[in-house]
Amino acid sequence: MKRLLIMTACTLVISFQVSMSQNSETIKENGDIDKSMNVQSIQTTEISKLAEKKFDLLYESLQGTYDGFIVDVMKTLAFLIIAIGWFVTSDKSREFFRNNKTARTAAIGAVAILAAIHYLDCISAFYASQQAILLLENLKYLGSEFFTDYKIAPVMLIQYLIQNTVLFAVLIIILFTLKRNGSRA
């Protein structure tokens, strides 16, 4: 969705530029507009309106990316804390996974796959944020102080990935160490 918004904004700019060049040629060819009318001011107004629309689209995209990133990280954190707490406090869950190698293996695989998906989502959100920031800066509609609050900084990405990696590792270790008593399963 975020990438779609960015691509839509870029398409709007390109189509506007093509439209403006065609309008200029039509004006010159037909002479429909009175010479006293300032064609340049009309183009400037249209460009300003387009820049505002593009800024709004990119800003919404950046904001959505940031909000989605934070929600994803916090939901993953909550899931990991709840799952770890469940294994630590529930004798029945530990007993079930201890006695069922297939379930334990499936759970380890599921946690590993969820970790990989989480990392890919976080990295994708980071790059989408960087791209939106770059496009907003290149637009030069407003200064960067108006939109950098929604930038996913590299430090933030690394912090959340390390935090969740530790918890994913703890959960996998808990699952991996649940073996039958006296068994190497």
Side-chain angles (χ1 to χ4, degrees):
M1 180 68 175
K2 298 164 204 127
R3 291 186 190 119
L4 179 62
L5 284 173
I6 291 171
M7 291 178 67
T8 302
C10 292
T11 304
L12 280 173
V13 170
I14 292 169
S15 65
F16 175 75
Q17 290 171 343
V18 168
S19 168
M20 288 308 295
S21 68
Q22 289 172 346
N23 286 346
S24 295
E25 291 171 12
T26 303
I27 290 168
K28 289 176 188 173
E29 290 172 4
N30 296 336
D32 291 337
I33 295 181
D34 186 61
K35 302 257 187 216
S36 64
M37 186 173 205
N38 190 348
V39 175
Q40 187 66 23
S41 68
I42 293 171
Q43 288 178 342
T44 303
T45 303
E46 293 295 324
I47 290 171
S48 178
K49 287 179 184 177
L50 181 64
E52 181 180 358
K53 286 180 184 178
K54 183 177 179 185
F55 179 86
D56 289 344
L57 280 172
L58 289 170
Y59 184 77
E60 287 176 25
S61 173
L62 179 65
Q63 194 175 21
T65 299
Y66 181 84
D67 292 344
F69 172 76
I70 296 299
V71 166
D72 183 46
V73 167
M74 292 304 144
K75 283 182 179 180
T76 303
L77 177 65
F79 160 75
L80 290 168
I81 290 171
I82 289 168
I84 290 168
W86 182 56
F87 280 110
V88 169
T89 60
S90 174
D91 292 334
K92 289 182 181 182
S93 66
R94 286 194 309 271
E95 189 64 31
F96 172 75
F97 284 104
R98 182 177 293 125
N99 293 326
N100 192 334
K101 182 179 179 181
T102 304
R104 185 175 62 245
T105 303
I108 290 170
V111 170
I113 289 169
L114 288 174
I117 291 170
H118 176 67
Y119 299 145
L120 291 174
D121 283 347
C122 287
I123 291 168
S124 175
F126 171 75
Y127 283 117
S129 170
Q130 298 302 312
Q131 182 66 27
I133 289 286
L134 180 66
L135 290 171
L136 284 165
E137 287 172 346
N138 289 340
L139 186 60
K140 296 180 177 147
Y141 181 71
L142 290 175
S144 63
E145 65 273 8
F146 290 100
F147 50 82
T148 53
D149 287 346
Y150 292 107
K151 177 181 182 180
I152 300 172
V155 171
M156 181 187 291
L157 175 70
I158 292 168
Q159 170 195 349
Y160 287 139
L161 288 181
I162 289 173
Q163 160 191 302
N164 286 348
T165 297
V166 169
L167 293 175
F168 273 118
V170 167
L171 184 56
I172 288 174
I173 289 169
I174 288 171
L175 285 166
F176 192 69
T177 58
L178 292 175
K179 298 178 182 176
R180 276 192 198 169
N181 296 333
S183 172
R184 295 189 179 254

